[in-house]
């Protein structure tokens, strides 16, 4: 399944839906829902719900079913992420990743890590973000999907450029430039975004616009709507720097319009923030403030993300422009805190400079100076010359406004203001394509005049005039270039639209003769799909899907008649993609058009003017201008009413009404069939009742037999399983363990190798005969029962605990690494030795145990060489060695690389110390040495 596809490919998939059935329909629903996740998130969720319902009835093997569920979790997870339900998005992504990992589905794992990276972006966890993106790229390459991997790595590059522009260019610049030549549109959206951002940071606005435009177009045709909105906002900022605020505002509005329609908090917040920046450049401070406050409210659930930080930055900028310096300081302080968490050096630097400017205006020059010096040092460290220039200008302004400040380090000119202005001039001259603003020369001239150097002041003033002329010329050129780019963009769009209109006209003429026949043929296929359903809920979903595909319907509802025939219930309802609650309507209700439709048993079409009063409108629901009600009839019986409603005026012509009538007819037949099927089921249930009574006695007999069988498998004293139970069940665990080891031997060195062993622990209570002889057998029984509880505290639910005989127990730990055996053995020893046994009557007894253990397979390189019973004997031999060592001990015996496969078992049983001495086996023990 591709990560992104072209719009025409997406529409081609949609066209296949009416004819698809069963497994093909499920696969198609899954594919379309995946690729609609940003094109139409609510449609994606609706299709995913339908696929989830269909998944329960379509035949799939276990792996296919798990893969389907995992992909559905990713679709829902991305929807939750887009709508800022970050915790649920992460939970769904984690669950999907677990399923894909078990299935060894590399592409699925890649997509799950990509979604987790998006979640980490909103949480502000940049390290985790890059880690998930790297894992997504690795899994994509493992799954032989180079495009997916390139997209993940381009995302890493895009975020890197915000952290350290120079380092990002060194690592990614050449690769992004090469990829831009002929990249797939899905990748081009990110590649051109990276190059455009790099150009913007260098103040090279022309290539910034060109690459942003390519990024926007690529995102638009591949369904990357979030990237499309972000790029539109970036285009607006770039045009603003080209001194073309009108085009900038148009791009901002274009992105904001899409963002409001999608209603994703993060993306809408960014569009609001960026639009506010243009309003500020146009001195529309109130409008900018209003947009930024709205952005903060929208982004409230996403305070950890970069977009919220940008909102803080621009709130500070607007406050400075409005001379509300206290508010500016507060915004910049919050920005610095967020930037540190995000590790966004560019934003942290802006926050420091902004605080310095605000503090200077608030009469706190020394604090302003300290922050300004830190901001300047950081700007130099991250190699952002435009930030250096802005900070130097701010430092000069601080010295100009405040006299009693210490001289800057290395100052050779008359005062601090001249020092920083001269440094700003040098930085500006070093920036390629940067036009030094006239206000810098004006400030220099004033300072030289104040120091009495009139000749130098005059010389600088002449440079100011030249700079102003150059700025005006540059602005004119930039405006011209911006206008040219804008004109080329609009011309390309107009030509494309013209070609589309010509093609549409030609297609319309060619299709006129076939349209009626094709519509009927299409409706026939739809009818077959609807009437094939025997589940009412499935019928509702199928009807809803086809209604929204064939007709404009912001609201779609189905009312079914109650048994009393005096009222109806809303059995299904969707409005703007949201499920409507159940509703009860009396047929006598004179205000309800649905009740009127059922009473009169006829079609009702309601048309409203945009400004007209709607007496039947329900508060809290969408106001619609076109409403169509059609009775659901089978013969003369009215089953209910189906209605569609549109916010468009005159949405339902005779053609739409004909289509809806057919859908209602198919729906009525399907619902009647479903009701008949339910009635048939009820009849069969009644018929089966007698049979069930007969079966009940057989079940009682079988239950008694099973109880007897369970009793034969259970130790009556402790309630633990016995040796007979182990003999009946262990072979399943043995087969699973051998399969894992066989598979492990076939894995390449590049694949992760998980180890699954069976560990057998023989446990014997030390000196148990003493307990029986001294305290009696009742006390001994109490000790054995408490022994069971202690072993259960050590073991997992999936492990076996067996009463092996007398005071001996066998613990079988499955799916366990053999190298962890000593940890479990020590837990067993301490569980017995650390807590005294209760004998009743306030008496306690301290006991210990000895443990011997070995792993199956005994030889890792030849897992089939020894049987599990032989491994139990080796564990028993290890127990004997622990007993011989003085008890309250554990011993584990393991094979080595030099173990002779044929003779290792008899040798160990015959003379274990000799085998250990030769190095043919390895022992672990909790004692320093054995006697």
């Amino acid at each position: 399944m591709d990560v992104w596809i072209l719009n025409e490919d997406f529409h081609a998939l949609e066209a296949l839906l009416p004819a698809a059935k069963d497994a093909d329909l499920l696969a198609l629903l899954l594919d379309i829902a995946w690729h609609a996740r940003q094109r139409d998130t609510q449609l994606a969720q609706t299709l995913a719900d339908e696929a989830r319902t269909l998944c329960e009835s379509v035949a799939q093997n276990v792996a296919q079913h798990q893969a389907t569920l995992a992909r559905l979790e990713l679709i829902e997870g991305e929807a939750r992420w887009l709508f800022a339900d970050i915790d649920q998005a992460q939970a769904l992504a984690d669950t999907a990743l677990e399923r894909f990992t078990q299935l060894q589905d590399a592409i699925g794992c890649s997509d799950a890590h990509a979604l987790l990276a998006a979640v980490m972006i909103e949480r502000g966890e940049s390290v985790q973000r890059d880690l998930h993106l790297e894992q997504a790229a690795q899994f994509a390459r493992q799954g032989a999907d180079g495009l997916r991997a390139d997209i993940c790595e381009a995302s890493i590059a895009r975020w890197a450029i915000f952290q350290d522009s120079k380092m990002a260019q060194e690592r990614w610049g050449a690769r992004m430039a090469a990829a831009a030549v002929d990249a797939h549109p899905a990748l081009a959206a990110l590649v051109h975004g990276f190059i455009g951002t790099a150009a913007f940071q260098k103040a090279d606005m022309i290539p910034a616009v060109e690459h942003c435009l390519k990024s926007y177009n690529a995102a638009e045709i591949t369904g990357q709507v979030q990237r499309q909105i972000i790029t539109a906002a970036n285009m607006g900022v770039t045009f603003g720097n080209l001194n073309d605020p009108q085009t900038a505002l148009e791009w901002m509005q274009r992105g904001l319009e899409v963002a409001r329609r999608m209603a994703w908090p993060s993306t809408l917040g960014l569009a609001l923030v960026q639009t506010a920046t243009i309003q500020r450049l146009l001195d529309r401070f109130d409008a900018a403030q209003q947009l930024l406050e709205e952005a903060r409210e929208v982004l409230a659930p996403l305070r950890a993300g970069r977009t919220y930080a940008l909102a803080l930055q621009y709130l500070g900028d607007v406050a400075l422009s409005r001379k509300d310096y206290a508010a500016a300081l507060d915004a910049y302080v919050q920005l610095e805190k967020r930037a540190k968490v995000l590790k966004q050096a560019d934003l942290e630097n802006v926050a420091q400079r902004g605080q310095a400017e605000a503090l200077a205006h608030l009469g706190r020059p020394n604090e302003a100076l300290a922050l300004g010096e830190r901001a300047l040092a950081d700007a130099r460290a991250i190699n952002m010359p435009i930030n250096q220039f802005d900070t130097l200008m701010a430092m000069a302004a601080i010295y100009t406004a405040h006299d009693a400040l210490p001289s800057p380090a290395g100052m050779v000119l008359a005062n601090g203001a001249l020092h920083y202005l001269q440094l700003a001039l040098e930085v500006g001259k070093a920036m390629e394509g940067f036009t030094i603003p006239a206000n810098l020369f004006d400030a220099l001239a004033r300072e030289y005049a104040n120091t009495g150097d009139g000749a130098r002041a005059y010389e600088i003033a002449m440079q100011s005039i030249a700079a102003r002329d150059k700025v005006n010329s540059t602005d004119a050129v930039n405006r011209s270039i911006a206008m040219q780019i804008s004109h080329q963009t609009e011309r390309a769009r107009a030509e494309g639209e013209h070609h589309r209109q010509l093609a549409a006209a030609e297609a319309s003429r060619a299709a006129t003769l076939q349209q009626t026949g094709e519509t009927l043929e299409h409706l026939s296929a739809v009818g077959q799909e609807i009437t094939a359903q025997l589940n009412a809920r499935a019928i509702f979903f199928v009807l809803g899907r086809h209604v929204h595909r064939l007709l404009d319907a912001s609201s779609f509802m189905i009312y079914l008649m109650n048994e009393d025939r005096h009222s109806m219930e809303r059995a299904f309802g969707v409005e703007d993609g949201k499920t409507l609650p159940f509703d009860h309507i009396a047929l006598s209700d004179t205000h309800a058009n649905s009740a009127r439709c059922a009473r009169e048993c006829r079609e009702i079409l309601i048309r409203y003017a945009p400004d007209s009063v709607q007496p039947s409108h329900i508060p809290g629901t969408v106001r619609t201008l076109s409403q169509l009600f059609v009775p659901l009839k089978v013969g003369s019986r009215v089953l209910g009413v189906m209605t569609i409603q549109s916010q468009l005026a005159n949405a339902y012509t005779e053609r739409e009404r004909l289509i809806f009538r057919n859908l209602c007819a198919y729906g009525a037949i399907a619902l009647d069939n479903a009701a008949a099927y339910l009635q048939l089921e009820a009849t069969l249930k009644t018929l089966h009742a007698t049979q069930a009574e007969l079966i009940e006695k057989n079940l009682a007999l079988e239950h008694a037999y099973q109880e007897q069988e369970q009793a034969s498998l259970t130790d009556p004293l402790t309630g633990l399983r016995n040796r007979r139970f182990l003999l009946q069940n262990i072979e399943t665990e043995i087969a699973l363990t051998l399969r894992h080891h066989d598979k492990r031997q076939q894995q390449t060195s590049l694949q992760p190798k998980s180890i699954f062993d069976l560990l057998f622990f023989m446990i014997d209570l030390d000196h148990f005969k003493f307990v029986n002889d001294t305290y009696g057998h009742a006390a001994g029984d109490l000790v054995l029962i408490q022994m069971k509880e202690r072993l259960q505290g050590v073991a997992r639910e999936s492990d076996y605990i067996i009463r092996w005989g007398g005071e001996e127990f066998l613990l079988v730990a499955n799916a366990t690494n053999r190298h962890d055996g000593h940890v479990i053995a020590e837990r067993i020893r301490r569980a017995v030795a650390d807590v005294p046994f209760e004998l009743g009557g306030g008496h306690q007894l301290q006991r210990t145990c000895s443990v011997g253990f070995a792993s199956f397979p005994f030889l890792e390189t030849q897992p089939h060489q020894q049987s599990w019973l032989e491994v139990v004997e080796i564990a028993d031999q290890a127990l004997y060695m622990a007993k011989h060592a003085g008890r309250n001990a554990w011993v584990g015996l393991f094979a080595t690389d030099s173990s002779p496969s044929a003779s290792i078992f008899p040798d160990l049983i015959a003379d274990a110390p000799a085998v250990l001495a030769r190095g043919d086996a390895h022992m672990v023990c909790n004692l320093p040495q054995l006697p």
Side-chain angles (χ1 to χ4, degrees), residues 17 20-30 54 529 545:
L17 263 180
K21 295 180 181 179
D22 301 329
D24 290 338
L25 176 60
L26 177 59
L28 197 56
L29 286 171
L30 202 62
L54 186 60
E529 181 184 358
R545 172 160 52 83

Side-chain angles (χ1 to χ4, degrees), residues 19 61 144 199 319 332 387 394 436 502 570 637 767 803 805 866 891-892:
N61 61 39
Y332 288 129
N387 283 29
I436 298 172
L502 287 177
R570 181 163 60 207
R637 289 185 299 119
H767 300 300
R803 173 87 183 275
Q866 269 74 44
V891 172

Side-chain angles (χ1 to χ4, degrees), residues 98-110:
E98 184 178 350
R99 291 189 199 270
F100 283 131
T101 301
Q102 291 174 351
L103 295 169
Q104 297 186 341
D105 185 334
I107 297 303
C109 289
S110 175

